[in-house]
Amino acid sequence: MRVVGVLACVLLAGGCSAARQIGEGFGDAATQPLVDLNVRREQIPTVLLQAQANPYDRRNLNQCTTIRAEVLRLDEALGPDRDEPPAPDNPTLNEQAQDALAEAALDAIRDATTDFIPYRSWVRRLSGAQARSRQVQDAVEAGRLRRAYLKGLGMRANCAPPASPAWFRPTGTSRR
């Protein structure tokens, strides 16, 4: 019942944007019990598995173009780096409120679908879902470490962003 109330508030107050966000996230929120039972598993992108295997691999990284390509692959898997400037469109207070309402609605859906699992933490441990979650987090951490390492190599090679941090400005000629 709580979920219906939150959804009604979101639709009344939030409008189309919040409803779209809920529609996009509904599947993930509703299938959370399948993740807890380790039936539905999040796939780890290959680039993150490679980073996990060897985050400091320097093979074929002797040019700015190859460093840039590798950083872009990691950006695709991880999302933007912390050094990237924020998006140019500053959300209005109304848009921020819609986002918060949509997130609250998705949390309520996720909570409602997982509340019926007794001893959820034990179920996650016994099913292997907790271990899988740790594997995913380790791969993400390795990907972030690799991206930082690559940007350091890019700075050393005098490469322009994104092969180096966003704030870095190359001087003279770089190794294209």
Side-chain angles (χ1 to χ4, degrees):
M1 195 63 178
R2 176 179 67 177
V3 174
V4 174
V6 171
L7 287 174
C9 288
V10 168
L11 292 175
L12 289 173
C16 293
S17 175
R20 189 176 325 107
Q21 282 180 288
I22 292 171
E24 291 170 359
F26 183 80
D28 287 337
T31 58
Q32 184 62 41
L34 297 177
V35 174
D36 291 343
L37 295 171
N38 207 20
V39 173
R40 183 173 153 236
R41 300 176 75 177
E42 185 177 349
Q43 294 299 315
I44 301 173
T46 305
V47 69
L48 297 183
L49 293 173
Q50 291 168 342
Q52 197 171 25
N54 190 358
Y56 302 109
D57 186 10
R58 292 182 70 165
R59 285 178 287 157
N60 301 322
L61 294 175
N62 52 358
Q63 295 182 341
C64 291
T65 54
T66 55
I67 295 171
R68 180 181 187 276
E70 188 70 13
V71 168
L72 291 175
R73 285 181 60 217
L74 286 162
D75 283 349
E76 185 178 328
L78 297 169
D81 199 355
R82 291 177 189 243
D83 71 334
E84 294 297 318
D89 58 327
N90 293 330
T92 64
L93 190 56
N94 185 33
E95 291 168 337
Q96 291 175 7
Q98 288 177 8
D99 290 345
L101 283 171
E103 191 60 39
L106 289 172
D107 284 345
I109 293 167
R110 194 174 296 108
D111 288 346
T113 59
T114 58
D115 280 349
F116 75 90
I117 299 175
Y119 304 105
R120 181 174 176 235
S121 64
W122 279 102
V123 168
R124 287 184 52 79
R125 279 191 199 130
L126 294 173
S127 70
Q130 189 68 34
R132 180 63 180 179
S133 180
R134 277 194 304 273
Q135 288 174 342
V136 170
Q137 289 305 311
D138 288 345
V140 167
E141 184 179 335
R144 289 181 178 149
L145 175 69
R146 174 123 178 106
R147 181 168 55 190
Y149 174 70
L150 291 171
K151 287 188 175 194
L153 286 178
M155 278 179 60
R156 185 169 177 235
N158 202 33
C159 300
S164 60
W167 54 264
F168 181 74
R169 297 295 169 249
T171 57
T173 59
S174 65
R175 288 191 238 161
R176 301 200 186 272

